[in-house]
Amino acid sequence: MEVGELRGRIPNEIIDSLYSRGIKTLTPPQESAINNGLLSGHNMLVASPTASGKTLIAEIAAVNTILRTGMKAVYIAPMRALATEKYEEFRESYPYIKAALSIGDLDSNDPWLAEYEMIFFSTEKFDSLIRHGADWLDKVGAIVFDEVHMLDDASRGPTLEILITKLHETTRAQIIALSATIGNPDELAQWLRAKLVTSDYRPVPLLKGVLYNSNVYYVEDSGAFVAEKLNGESEVPEIRAVQDTLKKGKQVLIFYSTKKNAEAGAAKLAKYAEPILSAAEKNLLEEAGKKILNALSRPTEQCEKLSTLVKSGVAFHHAGLLNQQRSVVEHAFKDNLIKVICATPTLSLGVNIPAHTVVVRDITRYENGLSERLGVNEVMQLFGRAGRPKYDKEGRALLLAGTRERMEELTRQYILAKPEPIESALGIAPVLRSHILSFIAEGFLTTKKSMAAFLQKTFYSFLFGNKLHIESMVEEVAGELEDWEFITSSGGSYTATKLGKRISELYIDPLSAKLMIDMLEEELDNIGMLFMIANTLEMRPYAKVTREAEEKYALYMHEHKRFKKVHELESIDPVGAFSTALMLRDWIEEMKEQDIVKRYSTTPGALFSKITNADWLIYSAIEMAKILRMRTNDLIDMRVRLRYGIKEELMDLVRLSQIGRVRARLLYENGIRSVADIKADPERVRRILGKEIAEMIFRENNIEFH
Ligand code: ADP
């Protein structure tokens, strides 16, 4: 279908925007969505491969709603990075539509959002807004759920499922759900009460094969294999695939099972990528490398390693990178500066960075001590990154085999296999804890009967219809919440206590809240406070247990016998939590990032994600302590120390912007110990920090200097 044919059916603004981006013809799933009632408000599930144009379907429905009806549209993604990417693209395409991005603070109802027409959310942020009672929800005319196949993800699925069910019950907005190719799109569509659009269209055809020795083996429809010789010298198949791709002037993405393997892979490949870089590319990569190195004020070994590799046109990419570094790598790859990325499968959860060739070297994923085989859907998600629209005539996605038998097996198990059906991840009581509390706190559902009836509308019930199991889960969870005094019942109807309501808004797991409250009741020293926040579900996976943690834990528990009851609730690896507390202690004792990362066998990315979580948890502890009329001073101080990673004596200095743990320590050691000292002797600050940095600090903090 030509875009011109839509004239009169959709606002001209959309047509103009499509033309201005060079879009003249609709892709098959786009045409099919339009023909199936996208413009007349039908709910719709679109299940099709990456880059088949799903986003545009959502965009047309959203903008059509905004311009035609004056209502709002929202876009919801399970990953923040994805919401951010789509928001940025949208702003460029429709500068005159008021668009906002809301993925941050989970403890706010963000009334400012009422002003906006198109809002991009993470699932959690949208869910938390409902808990805070945002008052513009009835003005939403269209809701887009991106990556809806994530319903079967154990950690992200349940919230998404409850949110969809809730919105189904409470709004009349059009729902547009976008999914990768899955085995049971019809079931999902039926549950969503949506029309189904499926397609296997790809803008760039995808060749799927298996790497074995120096060949790629593709399977033909007849079942016969055809071999394609790879252009290169190496005897190592994946290196040869890289050589072959680089010789074509293209880029490669290789997936490994572990962070370590990904890093080792990148180190091995640098010597193949570096020689093909032009002088201009080298200059730009030098800049990128610097940004990566300077992401922390004192680079860790990982920062140095990544920075050096990036300068030779290769990068590793995994959850251990700092966000800022990840973004530099992604941009440099999109700009065709980095030629090879060696990644763990987490990359597929982020933004879209396609490459000509994708190699899935390992079909396992190794995370938190568990090794898991990748499913067909996951491998297809990784494969889907092959082929850059506009640059490639075709994309190539390869598995790796060590023997001919293995090659045949992988072909059968993955290349020729059908996608798996997705299931619901909602079937266990603990995942319902926070949702049931939120139902009651919002006054949305207040009886066991209504909660069970609601849960019978979930995808879980749709698939398994297990009414008794649902009733027993509700029973169990409501009983627990009542025991913990987060809810009370009267005449068969529940209300949330003040504490329960606050916990629901704070968006922490009620069990974590209970564990923290029990400890708050005690006199807590610094380790006690850190242990309180570490001993929660949100801080998992815990840091590696060090020898010190093992030794000190027993001793600490002996000295603080009263903490014992904390662990009677649920065994959640208290020694691991204690080790995590010690890691936070090292952080606030100003140990260098590099040394912490080493001591706890972790990565800068994981360390900073723990620090961010710790900040949220200690904030939550303060908020709960206020309601319980407990002292909060020590907690408030601890929050500052955790945020900056500093000893108590630096707390005054970090009040100024641009002063963190390193600069504050430097000033302090040189006799500048407070903001007042800075104001009194700017000359000295200049000498300590250097003129440029000192003056930037003065300017940013409105401090007079001459
Ligand atoms: P998906 O959401 O299915 O992964 P996208 O909607 O992101 O795919 O589309 C992938 C790319 O194709 C985008 O750069 C988009 O601008 C472009 N695109 C989408 N629809 C068309 C079309 N009809 N013609 C040309 N390019 C298109």
Side-chain angles (χ1 to χ4, degrees):
M1 185 189 278
E2 297 305 311
V3 167
E5 292 172 50
L6 290 171
R7 227 175 254 293
R9 295 174 72 190
I10 58 174
N12 283 337
E13 288 91 333
I14 301 181
I15 294 177
D16 295 343
S17 171
L18 294 181
Y19 280 144
S20 75
R21 280 178 276 165
I23 297 174
K24 299 190 191 75
T25 317
L26 295 185
T27 65
Q30 289 164 353
E31 179 169 349
S32 174
I34 302 254
N35 290 339
N36 274 288
L38 182 75
L39 298 169
S40 36
H42 282 295
N43 289 346
M44 195 153 288
L45 168 66
V46 187
S48 63
T50 308
S52 58
K54 295 190 286 293
T55 312
L56 202 70
I57 297 176
E59 173 194 313
I60 291 175
V63 177
N64 190 44
T65 298
I66 295 168
L67 296 179
R68 282 259 165 90
T69 68
M71 293 184 87
K72 293 177 191 302
V74 301
Y75 165 97
I76 300 166
M79 282 81 59
R80 289 169 171 201
L82 192 62
T84 310
E85 184 183 52
K86 299 292 176 186
Y87 161 71
E88 282 165 2
E89 283 171 10
F90 186 88
R91 257 197 338 179
E92 246 173 62
S93 308
Y94 298 92
Y96 46 85
I97 291 181
K98 284 198 246 164
L101 172 69
S102 175
I103 54 175
D105 186 357
L106 294 178
D107 189 24
S108 163
N109 69 352
D110 290 356
W112 59 276
L113 287 174
E115 301 289 307
Y116 288 83
E117 297 165 305
M118 174 88 212
I119 315 173
F120 294 79
F121 290 105
S122 61
T123 313
E124 288 191 334
K125 177 65 199 187
F126 196 71
D127 190 39
S128 96
L129 269 185
I130 296 181
R131 292 186 187 196
H132 280 278
D135 58 8
W136 45 263
L137 291 174
D138 57 345
K139 309 219 168 45
V140 174
I143 304 175
V144 178
F145 286 101
D146 205 350
E147 309 263 316
V148 77
H149 55 269
M150 294 285 286
L151 275 171
D152 76 350
D153 182 86
S155 67
R156 296 164 204 259
T159 301
L160 179 60
E161 184 169 340
I162 296 282
L163 182 61
I164 295 177
T165 312
K166 215 182 223 176
L167 290 171
H168 240 308
E169 292 302 300
T170 54
T171 79
R172 293 217 307 276
Q174 177 185 21
I175 289 182
I176 303 110
L178 311 177
S179 163
T181 306
I182 53 174
N184 56 343
D186 40 347
E187 281 185 319
L188 186 55
Q190 213 185 328
W191 173 62
L192 288 166
R193 284 172 256 155
K195 296 224 174 167
L196 174 62
V197 168
T198 57
S199 163
D200 54 11
Y201 168 80
R202 283 181 180 280
V204 187
L206 178 64
L207 295 172
K208 296 185 253 185
V210 183
L211 259 175
Y212 166 50
N213 287 339
S214 45
N215 293 328
V216 177
Y217 290 85
Y218 298 105
V219 62
E220 295 195 312
D221 287 344
S222 66
F225 284 101
V226 233
E228 178 198 317
K229 185 115 192 120
L230 289 171
N231 186 1
E233 297 78 40
S234 176
E235 296 291 314
V236 183
E238 71 266 26
I239 296 185
R240 192 152 176 138
V242 169
Q243 291 179 318
D244 181 87
T245 313
L246 294 179
K247 282 177 203 253
K248 289 186 170 132
K250 303 285 183 184
Q251 294 166 288
V252 197
L253 204 52
I254 311 188
F255 290 100
Y256 296 82
S257 58
T258 65
K259 298 188 190 90
K260 221 169 143 187
N261 289 349
E263 290 185 18
K268 243 187 269 173
L269 292 168
K271 72 168 183 240
Y272 303 99
E274 187 159 25
I276 65 161
L277 297 175
S278 68
E281 285 175 332
K282 276 192 183 149
N283 281 340
L284 291 165
L285 285 169
E286 191 66 33
E287 287 303 305
K290 271 193 203 145
K291 276 192 205 149
I292 286 169
L293 189 68
N294 297 328
L296 294 174
S297 41
R298 281 180 304 226
T300 65
E301 252 170 48
Q302 184 187 285
C303 303
E304 282 164 7
K305 214 161 146 190
L306 183 60
S307 165
T308 310
L309 286 170
V310 162
K311 290 178 191 168
S312 25
V314 174
F316 53 86
H317 186 296
H318 56 58
L321 269 58
L322 297 162
N323 290 340
Q324 202 187 332
Q325 297 174 329
R326 209 175 307 176
S327 148
V328 173
V329 168
E330 286 163 2
H331 280 108
F333 194 78
K334 278 190 182 169
D335 294 344
N336 195 9
L337 298 169
I338 291 179
K339 306 297 174 188
V340 185
I341 291 186
C342 299
T344 55
T346 44
L347 180 131
S348 68
L349 289 178
V351 295
N352 187 21
I353 42 172
H356 174 270
T357 301
V358 169
V359 179
V360 180
R361 201 194 82 128
D362 305 327
I363 49 148
T364 48
R365 176 217 325 276
Y366 191 84
E367 242 170 349
N368 310 328
L370 292 175
S371 160
E372 252 182 357
R373 200 179 135 92
L374 298 181
V376 177
N377 292 359
E378 280 172 293
V379 169
M380 290 311 136
Q381 280 276 76
L382 305 181
F383 272 22
R385 314 266 141 169
R388 286 186 74 156
K390 297 191 201 124
Y391 299 100
D392 293 334
K393 278 205 230 35
E394 63 192 20
R396 190 159 65 156
L398 312 172
L399 292 163
L400 173 70
T403 62
R404 185 160 179 105
E405 289 75 55
R406 183 74 178 141
M407 187 266 286
E408 286 167 4
E409 194 180 87
L410 287 174
T411 303
R412 228 176 20 253
Q413 288 173 341
Y414 288 101
I415 312 268
L416 298 173
K418 289 205 166 58
E420 295 123 350
I422 60 159
E423 289 186 358
S424 159
L426 205 62
I428 50 167
V431 306
L432 287 180
R433 245 180 341 232
S434 116
H435 296 293
I436 287 189
L437 179 60
S438 82
F439 297 161
I440 299 169
E442 288 156 37
F444 170 55
L445 303 167
T446 56
T447 62
K448 283 186 211 166
K449 202 166 152 206
S450 64
M451 289 187 255
F454 172 84
L455 291 173
Q456 268 152 37
K457 293 178 181 143
T458 58
F459 191 46
Y460 174 81
S461 293
F462 176 84
L463 291 176
F464 308 113
N466 198 340
K467 196 166 169 226
L468 284 178
H469 179 57
I470 286 187
E471 284 168 356
S472 84
M473 287 198 294
V474 170
E475 185 78 38
E476 182 188 332
V477 173
E480 237 171 16
L481 295 173
E482 204 172 353
D483 287 347
W484 299 345
E485 298 177 5
F486 298 166
I487 57 174
T488 53
S489 67
S490 134
S493 171
Y494 291 107
T495 35
T497 59
K498 203 170 165 205
L499 183 62
K501 177 145 181 40
R502 196 69 190 106
I503 291 167
S504 172
E505 288 173 350
L506 288 165
Y507 216 83
I508 50 176
D509 189 289
L511 175 62
S512 301
K514 171 63 182 159
L515 291 165
M516 287 203 278
I517 290 165
D518 280 350
M519 287 192 70
L520 276 176
E521 285 167 359
E522 311 295 338
E523 191 72 9
L524 294 174
D525 57 8
N526 281 348
I527 293 284
M529 277 189 273
L530 295 174
F531 184 40
M532 171 188 71
I533 53 176
N535 191 35
T536 53
L537 302 161
E538 286 78 359
M539 286 298 270
R540 288 202 265 183
Y542 295 139
K544 194 189 87 163
V545 175
T546 56
R547 167 128 8 119
E548 183 197 7
E550 251 167 33
E551 289 167 4
K552 287 217 172 122
Y553 175 71
L555 200 64
Y556 196 81
M557 280 302 157
H558 184 72
E559 284 169 8
H560 301 79
K561 288 203 180 62
R562 50 191 193 276
F563 289 165
K564 264 274 183 302
K565 70 172 182 195
V566 168
H567 305 302
E568 282 158 17
L569 274 170
E570 187 165 308
S571 61
I572 57 170
D573 183 16
V575 191
F578 195 76
S579 196
T580 310
L582 295 180
M583 180 169 92
L584 296 175
R585 173 210 59 191
D586 290 345
W587 166 247
I588 61 169
E589 287 299 319
E590 298 180 34
M591 187 187 269
K592 285 187 187 152
E593 287 87 338
Q594 168 62 12
D595 298 334
I596 304 182
V597 165
K598 266 217 174 110
R599 178 179 276 192
Y600 297 90
S601 311
T602 183
T603 57
L607 173 64
F608 282 94
S609 109
K610 288 281 176 278
I611 293 169
T612 308
N613 287 353
D615 181 59
W616 187 251
L617 288 158
I618 198 137
Y619 168 71
S620 301
I622 295 167
E623 292 300 299
M624 292 190 295
K626 281 187 199 159
I627 291 177
L628 296 166
R629 301 189 180 284
M630 294 169 172
R631 271 170 47 86
T632 52
N633 294 5
D634 292 349
L635 293 167
I636 291 170
D637 285 355
M638 181 54 88
R639 187 173 185 212
V640 176
R641 294 188 55 191
L642 272 171
R643 177 168 282 184
Y644 293 96
I646 50 166
K647 292 186 184 159
E648 211 169 339
E649 63 210 30
L650 299 187
M651 278 173 60
D652 190 57
L653 285 171
V654 297
R655 288 194 296 128
L656 296 187
S657 77
Q658 299 293 340
I659 297 196
R661 63 193 316 230
V662 176
R663 287 176 188 162
R665 177 51 59 199
L666 202 61
L667 290 169
Y668 193 89
E669 293 309 318
N670 287 285
I672 301 278
R673 306 203 158 157
S674 63
V675 174
D677 288 351
I678 293 183
K679 288 185 178 158
D681 197 350
E683 190 44 45
R684 183 151 182 186
V685 176
R686 267 201 203 99
R687 277 201 308 276
I688 302 169
L689 297 179
K691 185 169 184 295
E692 207 175 309
I693 290 173
E695 291 186 358
M696 170 193 62
I697 291 171
F698 300 150
R699 272 194 301 275
E700 288 224 354
N701 295 285
N702 296 321
I703 293 174
E704 277 191 39
F705 67 99
H706 300 289

